[in-house]
Amino acid sequence: MDLGVISVRYARALLKSAVQTKCEEKVYGDMNTIVQAYAELPRLRRTIDNPMLPTESKKTVLSAAAGENPSPLTLKFIDLILQQGREEVMQLIASSYITLYRQQKNITHGRLVTAAAVSPATQQKMQQMVERRTGGTVEFLTEVDPDIIGGFILEYDTYRMDASVKSQLNTILKELK
C-alpha cells in the first residue's frame, strides 16, 4: 500500500480525534515539533526504523521528539502507531496532519527573506498583506539572507515575489549576454 495514503489516513483520524477532544492546536504543535526533529536529526529516522530497537525505546524516542510536554492524545497516537508497526511513516503522518490542520483552519505558510533584519512593523504589514490576499491567517517566517544584497523575497502558497537586488542584477546580466 502507498505510504502517502497510509499517512493521510492516520493523520485524518488523528485530526478528527483532536477536534473531538478540542486539543487540535496542541497536537498541531506536537506534530510541528516532530517534523522539525526529523529534519534536524537525520539519525532519528534510522533509529525509529531500526528493527532491533525495542518498541518501548521507540516510544521514548518519539515522545521526546514530540517536545517537552506533548498532549495525551499525541502520546496515545504514538502508542497506536507503534502497535500497528507504522513507525516508519511517523514523519509523513506528522506532515500530513500539519497540512490537514492548515487546510481546516485556513492557515497559509508564508516566508519573507530580506538582506537585513526588518522591523516588527514591516513584518506585520507584509503579513497583513498576505492575509488580505489569501483570506485566512498566515504563519509567517522571516529570514535574513545577506546574499540577496537588498530588497526582499516573499513566498506563500505557490506565489513567489522576488524583489531582491540579486535577482535584478542577474536579469540585467542575462540581458547583457
Side-chain angles (χ1 to χ4, degrees), residues 116-146:
V118 294
S119 68
T122 303
Q123 180 180 339
Q124 187 176 10
K125 282 182 182 180
M126 296 295 274
Q127 185 171 350
Q128 288 171 348
M129 179 191 74
V130 174
E131 286 175 350
R132 279 193 305 273
R133 285 187 173 193
T134 61
T137 357
V138 176
E139 287 182 349
F140 218 60
L141 179 75
T142 57
E143 294 178 24
V144 175
D145 182 5

Side-chain angles (χ1 to χ4, degrees), residues 10 13-14 17 59 73-87 90 93:
Y10 275 97
L14 178 59
S17 295
K59 178 181 176 182
L73 182 60
T74 299
L75 296 175
K76 282 183 183 177
F77 185 72
I78 289 170
D79 281 340
L80 174 70
I81 292 298
L82 292 169
Q83 286 172 6
Q84 298 297 316
R86 297 292 189 186
E87 59 270 13
M90 186 63 203
I93 293 169

